[in-house]
């Protein structure tokens, strides 16, 4: 459902658990039709609720992302029933669940590892298909439904942008502390503080620039795939706006160069 109340996630989990419990029953003699059990759509609906970032607690967002990833792992496992195998949409829900963790710098790594895994699954399917392998479920035909798309790569950009923003905030606080200490030292020496404090920029680019460059690399990859006619990836305005939002987050009183970087993305 689309209830904005965080309790809706709990209710979704409850109904999914009921389906799982029903599927575990061994005695179905009382049923006229096939026994109830979750299918791929059942799990995807729950993952969608996890991915919406309901509630304000960072800990809760992380717990939902971790549970979403655990469900994905189960659906990818050899023991998973054919009817619950994941698709691109499944992965995108889990990716989005991780990017809801706006205060977790590790989310970027989680997201990128998952995107790379999607690409490996896609490659495995294409190689098997090229060799004329069978198309039955036991041969992995479900892997053909896992193809990174525009949303996948846009979410990956967002993962790096989250980390860039967190590092930029930390860098800014550090620089302002250095400047404040500089003023205090000069005041103690001479009482003259007419000169503005000098900001010492980090040489190791701990200001989030490195992460923004990685986001830009993904946008360039999207553009390259679009240019060769990749049917699942398009260089839409959404991807560009995602990058611009990252540079906007880095903008502050000690980063006058940020508008110029943003302008390069627009031109």
């Amino acid at each position: 459902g689309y209830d904005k109340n965080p309790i809706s996630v709990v209710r979704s989990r409850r109904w999914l658990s009921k389906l799982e419990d029903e599927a575990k029953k061994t005695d179905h003699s009382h049923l006229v039709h096939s026994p109830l059990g979750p299918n791929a759509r059942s799990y995807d609906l729950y993952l969608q609720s996890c991915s919406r970032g309901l509630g304000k607690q960072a800990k809760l967002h992380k717990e939902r992302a971790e549970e979403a990833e655990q469900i994905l792992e189960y659906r990818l496992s050899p023991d998973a029933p054919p009817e619950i195998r994941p698709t691109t949409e499944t992965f995108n829900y889990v990716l989005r669940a991780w990017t809801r963790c706006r205060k977790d710098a590790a989310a970027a790594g989680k997201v990128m590892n998952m995107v790379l895994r999607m690409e490996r699954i896609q490659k495995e399917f294409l190689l098997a298909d090229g060799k004329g392998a069978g198309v039955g479920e036991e041969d992995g035909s479900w892997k053909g439904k896992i193809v990174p798309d525009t949303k996948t790569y846009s979410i990956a950009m967002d993962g790096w942008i989250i980390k860039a923003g967190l590092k930029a905030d930390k860098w800014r606080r550090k620089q302002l502390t250095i400047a404040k200490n500089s003023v205090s030292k000069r005041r103690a020496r001479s009482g003259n503080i007419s000169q503005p404090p000098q900001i010492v920029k980090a040489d190791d680019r701990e200001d989030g620039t490195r992460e923004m460059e990685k986001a830009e690399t993904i946008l360039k990859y999207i553009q390259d795939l679009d240019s060769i006619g990749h049917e699942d990836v398009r260089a839409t305005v959404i991807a560009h706006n995602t990058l611009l939002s990252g540079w906007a987050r880095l903008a502050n009183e000690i980063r006058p160069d940020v508008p110029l970087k943003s302008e390069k993305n627009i031109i």
Side-chain angles (χ1 to χ4, degrees), residues 99-115:
T99 58
R100 296 300 185 188
C101 304
R102 312 302 287 187
K103 297 182 180 180
D104 188 352
K110 289 279 189 180
V111 168
M112 283 309 304
N113 287 338
M114 207 167 295
V115 173

Side-chain angles (χ1 to χ4, degrees), residues 66-253:
E66 290 173 341
E67 184 185 5
E69 188 172 353
Q70 289 172 0
I71 291 174
L72 175 62
E73 290 296 336
Y74 166 61
R75 295 173 66 183
L76 287 167
S77 69
D79 298 331
E83 62 270 16
I84 71 166
R85 290 299 188 185
T87 64
T88 299
E89 187 175 39
T90 306
F91 272 87
N92 285 346
Y93 285 142
V94 181
L95 290 170
R96 179 52 73 195
W98 273 113
T99 58
R100 296 300 185 188
C101 304
R102 312 302 287 187
K103 297 182 180 180
D104 188 352
K110 289 279 189 180
V111 168
M112 283 309 304
N113 287 338
M114 207 167 295
V115 173
L116 292 174
R117 189 172 187 181
M118 292 179 73
E119 293 177 336
R120 286 196 301 270
I121 292 173
Q122 180 187 29
K123 183 178 179 180
E124 289 172 3
F125 173 78
L126 293 175
L127 289 175
D129 191 50
K131 294 177 180 178
V135 294
E137 170 61 33
E138 67 277 6
D139 297 312
S141 62
W142 57 272
K143 294 181 179 180
K145 297 180 181 179
I146 298 176
V147 182
D149 58 11
T150 305
K151 182 180 289 187
T152 304
Y153 291 116
S154 295
I155 296 174
M157 290 174 60
D158 194 28
W160 285 120
I161 288 169
I162 292 170
K163 187 171 183 178
L166 293 172
K167 291 183 70 173
D169 290 342
K170 182 178 179 180
W171 177 85
R172 176 179 175 273
R173 290 193 298 269
K174 178 181 178 181
Q175 299 304 315
L176 292 177
T177 299
I178 292 173
K180 182 178 180 180
N181 291 339
S182 174
V183 170
S184 298
K185 288 179 181 178
R186 285 187 292 130
R187 177 185 293 147
R189 286 197 303 265
S190 63
N192 180 14
I193 56 172
S194 59
Q195 293 293 327
Q198 183 176 1
I199 300 298
V200 181
K201 292 188 177 180
D203 294 332
D204 56 357
R205 295 187 297 173
E206 288 300 309
D207 57 354
T209 301
R210 182 184 290 109
E211 287 69 28
M212 286 304 304
E213 289 174 352
K214 290 179 179 179
E216 286 184 337
T217 299
I218 296 175
L219 177 59
K220 179 63 168 57
Y221 185 57
I222 291 174
Q223 293 170 332
D224 290 343
L225 290 177
D226 191 8
S227 67
I228 62 175
H230 196 296
E231 61 181 13
D232 296 297
V233 181
R234 293 287 182 268
T236 65
V237 68
I238 295 175
H240 287 80
N241 285 347
T242 299
L243 188 64
L244 287 171
S245 71
W247 283 121
R249 185 171 178 182
L250 264 62
N252 56 56
E253 69 273 26

